[in-house]
């Protein structure tokens, strides 16, 4: 799955370019940097590879989401509809701009259920934020229709699905804006980093300033820049951008390996009639960073997880239902509104209501789901061994529960 698995001479070369100049900051120092602008190069590469007009790098995927929301005008009291299965950064970004995360059920795409989105819309709803989890996507046609009908913003959190596409367009470039994360375990890594992608020049200009203390970046002297609005420090460094620049040039190789290894492992699980797989919307092309599969019941799934753990083959297989970072059932800090700085009264009340909110449809899906991370460096023998052991463990549990 992650690009760090194939880290090598290409990344070292790009980083050394920066180290030789000694200019680690992405802005200013035009003379000493000797024409080395890795962040600018990476932003240009992102627009070319993923097919968007504008790209603004940030220090993390979380910073990218926060920046995108600010640039789109999402703020105090606005409701953002998002899925109950995501990474904690998604709701952290919503809260950071003063908005309210409204969590709703998923379907077997492992992403937003369009019917649940419709049911959650109120006069305060400002944005629908699908989170394209584990390499694949939401039903974007359905969500775009809902957003158009209700004049809502569509913001794609595509941090986990770099390289996936929907009807020929890269995830993250289909909504009003989209984001990637380039942290250490993403398909492309900068070690830490993220990007806001958009086809809207106004959103881009605002993102550009917001990530750098509000600088307008219009002058030749950074010290003379004007500040049309208040911003923050969400800048990426030249060192991080240098790593990403080498990585994006390898994306085709990464995706090819992911898809080959995903298909090979899936062939083993397909031998078991009781195993089914996540739904990829028609027209979607999964990045294949995970193979997500289901068993018929929660009881069987828990038993298979326990059996794989007993056999020492659970590593790389994620049972998200009991995972602390990715599913609503374990987000006690969110449901109890535990923060270091004060939330608004509206935010706090909304979060506390989550303690009394049930997600039976999501529970029914996530309690049966296991996601197997796909490595780029597996050999055919390793895939065979992994597949055979997983199949044997599943069959043992199924036989014992007949």
């Amino acid at each position: 799955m992650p690009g760090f698995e194939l880290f090598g001479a290409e990344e070292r070369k790009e980083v050394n370019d920066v180290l030789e100049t000694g200019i680690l900051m992405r802005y200013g120092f035009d003379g000493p940097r000797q024409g080395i602008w890795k962040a600018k190069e990476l932003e240009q590469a992102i627009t070319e590879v993923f097919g968007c007009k504008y790209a603004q790098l940030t220090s993390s995927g979380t910073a990218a989401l926060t920046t995108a929301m600010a640039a789109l005008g999402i703020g105090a009291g606005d409701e953002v509809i998002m899925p109950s299965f995501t990474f904690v950064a998604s709701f952290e970004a919503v809260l950071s701009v003063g908005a309210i995360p409204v969590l709703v059920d998923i379907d077997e795409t492992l992403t937003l259920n369009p019917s649940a989105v419709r049911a959650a819309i109120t006069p305060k709803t400002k944005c629908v934020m699908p989170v394209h989890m584990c390499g694949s996507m939401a039903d974007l046609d359905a969500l775009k229709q809902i957003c158009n009908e209700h004049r809502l913003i569509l913001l794609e959190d595509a941090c986990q699905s770099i390289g996936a596409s929907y009807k020929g367009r890269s995830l993250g470039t289909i909504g009003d804006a989209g984001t990637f994360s380039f942290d250490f375990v993403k398909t492309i890594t900068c070690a830490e980093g993220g990007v806001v992608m958009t086809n809207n020049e106004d959103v881009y200009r605002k993102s550009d300033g917001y990530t750098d203390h509000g600088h307008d970046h219009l002058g030749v002297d950074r010290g003379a820049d004007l500040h049309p609005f208040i911003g923050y420090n969400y800048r990426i460094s030249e060192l991080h951008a240098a790593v990403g620049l080498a990585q994006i040039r390898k994306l085709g190789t990464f995706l090819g390996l992911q898809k080959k290894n995903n298909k090979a492992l899936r062939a083993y699980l397909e031998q078991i009639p009781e195993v089914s797989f996540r739904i990829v919307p028609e027209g979607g092309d999964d990045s294949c960073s995970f193979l997500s599969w289901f068993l018929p019941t929660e009881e069987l799934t828990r038993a298979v997880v326990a059996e794989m753990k007993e056999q020492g083959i659970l590593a790389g297989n994620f049972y998200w239902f009991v995972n602390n970072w990715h599913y609503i059932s374990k987000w006690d800090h969110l449901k109890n509104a535990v923060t270091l700085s004060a939330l608004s009264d509206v935010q706090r009340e909304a979060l506390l209501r989550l303690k009394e909110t049930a997600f039976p449809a999501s529970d029914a899906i996530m309690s049966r789901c296991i996601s197997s991370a796909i490595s780029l460096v597996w050999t055919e023998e390793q895939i065979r061994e992994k597949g055979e052991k997983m199949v044997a463990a599943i069959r043992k549990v199924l036989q014992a529960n007949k």
Side-chain angles (χ1 to χ4, degrees):
M1 176 183 71
F4 77 78
E5 291 182 307
L6 295 180
F7 188 92
E10 302 91 341
E11 287 80 4
R12 285 189 286 272
K13 184 269 178 191
E14 297 297 331
V15 169
N16 283 334
D17 284 350
V18 177
L19 292 176
E20 286 173 6
T21 69
I23 306 304
L24 311 186
M25 183 177 178
R26 74 157 295 175
Y27 296 111
F29 304 95
D30 294 27
R33 70 170 61 244
Q34 302 172 38
I36 302 296
W37 299 89
K38 297 301 182 183
K40 288 184 179 179
E41 281 192 71
L42 179 53
E43 286 169 346
Q44 181 61 33
I46 289 168
T47 64
E48 294 170 356
V49 170
F50 298 106
C52 56
K53 289 184 179 179
Y54 308 102
Q56 177 64 42
L57 288 169
T58 63
S59 56
S60 68
T62 313
L65 277 173
T66 301
T67 298
M69 289 182 202
L72 290 163
I74 299 166
D78 292 331
E79 293 179 350
V80 178
I81 297 175
M82 56 175 287
S84 56
F85 175 48
T86 181
F87 181 58
V88 293
S90 301
F91 64 71
E92 289 168 354
V94 174
L95 292 170
S96 74
V97 296
I100 300 166
V102 176
L103 279 71
V104 304
D105 276 317
I106 62 167
D107 55 27
E108 290 198 359
T109 65
L110 300 184
T111 59
L112 279 178
N113 183 327
S115 297
V117 171
R118 281 191 180 277
I121 293 172
T122 75
K124 294 181 180 179
T125 304
K126 185 73 172 283
C127 174
V128 174
M129 186 171 72
V131 184
H132 306 306
M133 289 294 289
C134 299
S136 191
M137 69 225 63
D139 184 344
L140 284 166
D141 279 353
L143 295 180
K144 285 175 68 177
Q145 182 177 343
I146 292 170
C147 288
N148 289 340
E149 288 174 9
H150 295 271
R151 297 183 179 181
L152 302 175
I153 293 165
L154 180 63
L155 171 59
E156 294 177 79
D157 179 342
C159 291
Q160 285 203 9
S161 293
I162 297 171
S165 64
Y166 182 69
K167 297 188 175 179
R169 298 178 63 186
S170 295
L171 297 191
T173 70
I174 298 168
D176 295 285
T179 63
F180 287 157
S181 168
F182 298 135
D183 77 19
F184 195 54
V185 294
K186 295 301 189 292
T187 301
I188 294 173
T189 182
C190 292
E192 292 288 354
V195 68
V196 178
M197 297 174 292
T198 186
N199 294 311
N200 183 311
E201 184 177 3
D202 184 61
V203 172
Y204 165 68
R205 293 296 176 196
K206 289 175 179 176
S207 297
D208 176 56
Y210 192 79
T211 56
D212 186 30
H213 303 294
H215 279 269
D216 64 8
H217 299 138
L218 295 178
V220 294
D221 177 4
R222 177 173 171 79
D225 283 348
L226 299 180
H227 300 83
F229 50 79
I230 293 171
Y232 298 90
N233 182 1
Y234 293 145
R235 297 186 303 259
I236 196 169
S237 78
E238 284 288 277
L239 287 173
H240 290 90
V243 175
L245 186 59
Q247 289 265 298
I248 198 171
R249 292 168 181 159
K250 300 179 180 181
L251 179 61
T253 298
F254 295 168
L255 294 175
L257 289 169
Q258 278 182 179
K259 291 180 179 183
K260 178 176 71 72
N261 292 347
N262 185 297
K263 182 179 180 180
L265 182 61
R266 178 171 175 146
Y268 286 94
L269 296 184
E270 285 176 336
Q271 300 171 19
I272 303 175
E274 292 86 352
V275 170
S276 59
F277 300 89
R278 81 177 298 171
I279 294 173
V280 177
E282 185 177 353
D285 184 18
D286 187 348
S287 75
C288 294
S289 54
F290 286 88
L291 175 63
S292 295
W293 46 284
F294 304 100
L295 287 158
T297 67
E298 177 182 344
E299 291 72 24
L300 287 171
T301 307
R302 287 182 178 271
V304 166
V305 169
E307 180 63 28
M308 290 198 295
K309 184 176 182 180
E310 176 70 21
Q311 293 189 24
I313 59 172
L314 186 60
N317 293 288
F318 296 90
Y319 186 43
W320 305 114
F321 190 55
V322 296
N323 178 282
N324 287 341
W325 291 359
H326 292 86
Y327 189 58
I328 180 66
S329 63
K330 292 291 185 175
W331 293 338
D332 291 337
H333 63 314
L334 180 70
K335 291 181 282 188
N336 290 313
V338 181
T339 60
L340 298 182
S341 57
L343 297 169
S344 71
D345 291 343
V346 175
Q347 285 179 312
R348 181 175 177 78
E349 290 167 6
L351 297 188
L352 293 177
R353 283 198 297 272
L354 287 172
K355 289 196 293 186
E356 312 302 326
T357 304
F359 295 88
S362 297
D363 289 347
I365 293 166
M366 296 312 301
S367 65
R368 299 183 297 107
C369 178
I370 297 172
S371 293
S372 302
I374 304 300
S375 172
L376 303 181
V377 296
W378 283 340
T379 64
E380 291 184 7
E381 176 60 25
Q382 286 173 322
I383 295 172
R384 183 192 64 78
E385 181 180 7
K386 185 178 186 70
E388 288 179 352
K389 287 183 176 180
M390 288 173 64
V391 166
I394 296 167
R395 284 178 170 160
K396 180 180 178 180
V397 170
L398 292 173
Q399 181 64 33
N401 287 272
K402 277 190 174 179

